[in-house]
Amino acid sequence: MWFKNVYLKTLRETRIAILGWGIGMGLLMYAVLAAVNSLIATPAARASLVSLADSFAWLAEPVHIDTPGGYLTWKYGFTVLVICIWPLLVCSRILRGEEERGSLDVVLATPQSRVSVALQKLAAVLTALLGMGLLIGLLTALAGSRINANFNTGDAILFGLNIALISAVFGSIALFLSQFTENRRVASGITGGLLVLAIAVDMVHRVIPNTDWFSRLSPVYYYNLSKPLIPSYGTNVGALLVMVVLCVILDGAAIWLFARRDIGRTVAGFSWLQRPERAIQPAQALPANAWSLRSLYTRSLARIVVPTLWWTLAIAGFAAWMVAIVKQTEGKLASLENSSYLGTLLSKVGGGSATANDTLLSFIFAFLPLLLMAFAVTQASSWAADEEEGRLELILATPQSRLRVLLGRFAALTTATIFIGVLTLAATAIAAAASGLTLDGGNLVAATLGMIPLGLLVAAIGYLLSGWLRTVVDTGILSFLLVIWFFITFVGPELSWPDSTLRFSPFYYYGTPLLHGLLVGDTIFILALGAVALAVATWRFMRKDIAR
């Protein structure tokens, strides 16, 4: 049944992602709601929670957070946007990726029009997103019914639909951009940067007065206009329609461009934007002396330069923006340092006697490794795709050992990861100096560079999984691991999980370096895990049939 048409075939390939992301995010919502009653059990606890949320309003608008639906929307309505990583990866692949591997030529050789193929592939991705939203909504509704929450099943389904729509918007952006790029990695890298930028732009109107007009440029702004789990606030139908219209316009433009360009080529620009063609001497026809062709390492590095720059802009820019925001909210946070709820929060994130400013910034910096690990997922997916699509066969036909091929590629990824960490350190230090926020220099270095081992660990696991799994499954499992690790670290303490359980997440070993410096032993442990995963991945790659 699944191979009757392009739609069903594409939908079949998303089955693991639907279950992984849908159930993973749904369980996150379920766990938070299961613990919320203990946080609002007394009037004093509710008052402290409301005061704290008002000071964190720049992160997310606090509305009735002393209710289960309000608390969940405020605390995790922003974090759940990590699900947008999946559609931006998939939508950059469904056309451009198929063109790169040559399989789209085979599909179009059948009696299928370009528009029909593109529409069916896109419809399958949208169906998958709706499936994820439905699972998230149903698990949220189940948790709400168990604690007698103030929302019903319909509200929970609308909550899932809102998540599915914002995810579809970024998938549509990736699909549109892939018409202008030569490979899918550039499209997904740019879209990932735009996702982080959109989140930051949405925050602007909550930090700087009278800037709603600017925040309206971000799709995330319209996502936040709907709060279905708060019945008194409800769903903004207009905002949902804006996201639908954005999807229709971007998807329509992408398919229109796809139907009118050459397969394997990008959209031709206007004549006045094109560089004049120059006569090329026969000796210059091939880039024989190009720096990127001097070794496997430099070639791999040249291939990931563009996505690395976009991810650097996103991660470093996000860190700098957070520093500026924390400085602006300094006065409000100072008044909460004696709050009982904030004291509980300090103990959970390891703040101890730290100031509210340092604790808040340390908590925000815990999200930076998540972004770097998402970058590692995209690069691990690229490695698996190169093998599956036959590009490694050309390299291995030259006198290059498999060991050199894999290690050269991983070395380039390591260089890119270190580059992101160093630029993030520089951007954060400059932002702190410009805003007048005092930070411990050594701890700042530990917080920014300490996330590098986490990114390398994820990449090594991705290389390991690619030895046995196809690209789609490899990427799906790796993304799901990020969700599980995030769930353990950021929800586990609220559920009073034992320390032995929290240790299953790599985030645990990152700790709070902005407050307490680098935990050398834990960092070595993460590096050792990554080295073991890479060693097993190398062993498997050297002994397997390529693309098997």
Side-chain angles (χ1 to χ4, degrees):
M1 180 192 74
W2 294 105
F3 297 98
K4 288 183 177 179
N5 54 53
V6 175
Y7 168 77
L8 291 175
K9 170 66 167 56
T10 308
L11 186 61
R12 177 181 179 274
E13 294 174 348
T14 67
R15 62 192 186 281
I16 294 178
I18 294 173
L19 295 176
W21 283 100
I23 295 177
M25 284 296 179
L27 288 177
L28 173 63
M29 303 300 111
Y30 187 97
V32 172
L33 287 173
V36 71
N37 281 338
S38 62
L39 298 175
I40 57 176
T42 64
R46 289 194 293 271
S48 295
L49 183 60
V50 170
S51 298
L52 180 64
D54 288 340
S55 296
F56 284 30
W58 52 269
L59 185 63
E61 181 185 8
V63 179
H64 296 301
I65 66 164
D66 54 348
T67 64
Y71 177 77
L72 178 64
T73 301
W74 171 71
K75 188 166 186 180
Y76 289 104
F78 156 74
T79 307
V80 79
L81 291 177
V82 70
I83 199 174
C84 294
I85 294 173
W86 182 80
L88 71 85
L89 289 175
V90 172
C91 287
S92 63
R93 186 176 64 229
I94 55 174
L95 294 180
R96 179 58 66 186
E98 295 282 348
E99 292 177 69
E100 288 184 69
R101 65 187 296 184
S103 59
L104 192 60
D105 296 340
V106 178
V107 176
L108 294 178
T110 63
Q112 300 271 353
S113 70
R114 288 194 184 191
V115 173
S116 174
V117 169
L119 284 175
Q120 289 184 71
K121 285 179 173 291
L122 179 61
V125 174
L126 295 177
T127 302
L129 289 175
L130 289 175
M132 294 176 193
L134 180 62
L135 287 174
I136 294 172
L138 290 176
L139 286 172
T140 303
L142 178 61
S145 64
R146 295 194 62 179
I147 64 170
N148 296 319
N150 58 327
F151 57 85
N152 55 38
T153 302
D155 298 328
I157 297 298
L158 287 174
F159 174 69
L161 175 63
N162 197 31
I163 295 172
L165 283 178
I166 188 61
S167 300
V169 169
F170 285 97
S172 300
I173 293 173
L175 182 66
F176 178 74
L177 291 178
S178 69
Q179 308 308 309
F180 299 88
T181 61
E182 293 183 352
N183 61 70
R184 66 181 183 277
R185 298 175 189 84
V186 176
S188 61
I190 294 175
T191 309
L194 290 176
L195 170 60
V196 179
L197 179 62
I199 293 173
V201 170
D202 171 62
M203 292 180 183
V204 169
H205 77 283
R206 292 191 291 271
V207 178
I208 305 173
N210 303 318
T211 55
D212 276 46
W213 62 271
F214 182 69
S215 292
R216 290 176 187 272
L217 300 175
S218 168
V220 179
Y221 175 86
Y222 301 97
Y223 161 76
N224 283 325
L225 286 180
S226 294
K227 295 177 172 48
L229 300 183
I230 307 173
S232 61
Y233 196 99
T235 301
N236 189 315
V237 178
L240 296 183
L241 290 176
V242 168
M243 290 189 285
V244 170
V245 170
L246 282 174
C247 289
V248 171
I249 292 175
L250 290 169
D251 291 335
I255 294 174
W256 183 83
L257 292 171
F258 171 69
R260 286 160 176 79
R261 64 174 173 82
D262 293 340
I263 295 298
R265 300 293 298 274
T266 60
V267 174
F270 297 105
S271 58
W272 58 276
L273 288 176
Q274 305 242 355
R275 291 193 301 177
E277 295 185 1
R278 296 183 301 172
I280 299 177
Q281 299 298 325
Q284 299 174 330
L286 294 176
N289 298 318
W291 69 270
S292 64
L293 298 181
R294 294 176 183 174
S295 67
L296 291 168
Y297 166 75
T298 55
R299 177 55 185 161
S300 300
L301 194 61
R303 292 184 60 191
I304 64 174
V305 163
V306 174
T308 298
L309 291 177
W310 278 101
W311 279 94
T312 302
L313 177 63
I315 297 174
F318 179 77
W321 174 240
M322 290 301 100
V323 168
I325 286 179
V326 167
K327 180 60 179 178
Q328 289 194 25
T329 59
E330 184 175 15
K332 292 183 178 180
L333 289 171
S335 64
L336 288 172
E337 289 196 45
N338 297 322
S339 165
S340 61
Y341 183 83
L342 184 57
T344 303
L345 177 63
L346 288 169
S347 64
K348 285 183 177 180
V349 300
S353 60
T355 66
N357 274 356
D358 292 337
T359 300
L360 172 59
L361 196 56
S362 178
F363 177 75
I364 292 171
F365 263 60
F367 289 91
L368 294 183
L370 179 64
L371 296 176
L372 188 63
M373 292 159 84
F375 166 74
V377 170
T378 64
Q379 297 308 308
S381 174
S382 171
W383 164 259
D386 279 355
E387 179 182 349
E388 186 176 309
E389 295 165 11
R391 283 187 286 272
L392 288 184
E393 295 173 4
L394 297 175
I395 298 175
L396 294 174
T398 64
Q400 302 284 350
S401 68
R402 292 194 180 191
L403 178 63
R404 290 186 63 185
V405 170
L406 185 143
L407 293 183
R409 185 68 170 269
F410 196 86
L413 172 56
T414 302
T415 302
T417 305
I418 294 174
F419 177 82
I420 293 175
V422 171
L423 264 291
T424 301
L425 169 61
T428 307
I430 293 172
S435 62
L437 185 66
T438 302
L439 295 174
D440 184 281
N443 289 351
L444 180 59
V445 172
T448 50
L449 302 187
M451 63 184 181
I452 293 174
L454 297 180
L456 297 180
L457 173 63
V458 170
I461 293 174
Y463 276 48
L464 173 62
L465 295 176
S466 69
W468 286 272
L469 304 174
R470 294 175 60 243
T471 305
V472 175
V473 181
D474 182 7
T475 305
I477 292 178
L478 208 55
S479 302
F480 183 58
L481 275 177
L482 288 187
V483 176
I484 294 298
W485 291 338
F486 180 86
F487 177 84
I488 291 174
T489 298
F490 292 93
V491 180
E494 290 189 9
L495 302 179
S496 300
W497 284 358
D499 190 70
S500 58
T501 301
L502 301 181
R503 288 179 179 272
F504 281 102
S505 169
F507 292 107
Y508 176 91
Y509 301 94
Y510 177 71
T512 53
L514 198 63
L515 298 176
H516 305 113
L518 188 67
L519 302 177
V520 178
D522 289 344
T523 302
I524 293 175
F525 177 71
I526 291 296
L527 288 172
L529 280 181
V532 170
L534 183 62
V536 177
T538 304
W539 173 85
R540 170 63 178 169
F541 181 65
M542 294 176 65
R543 287 163 175 77
K544 63 173 289 195
D545 291 339
I546 294 297
R548 293 293 298 277

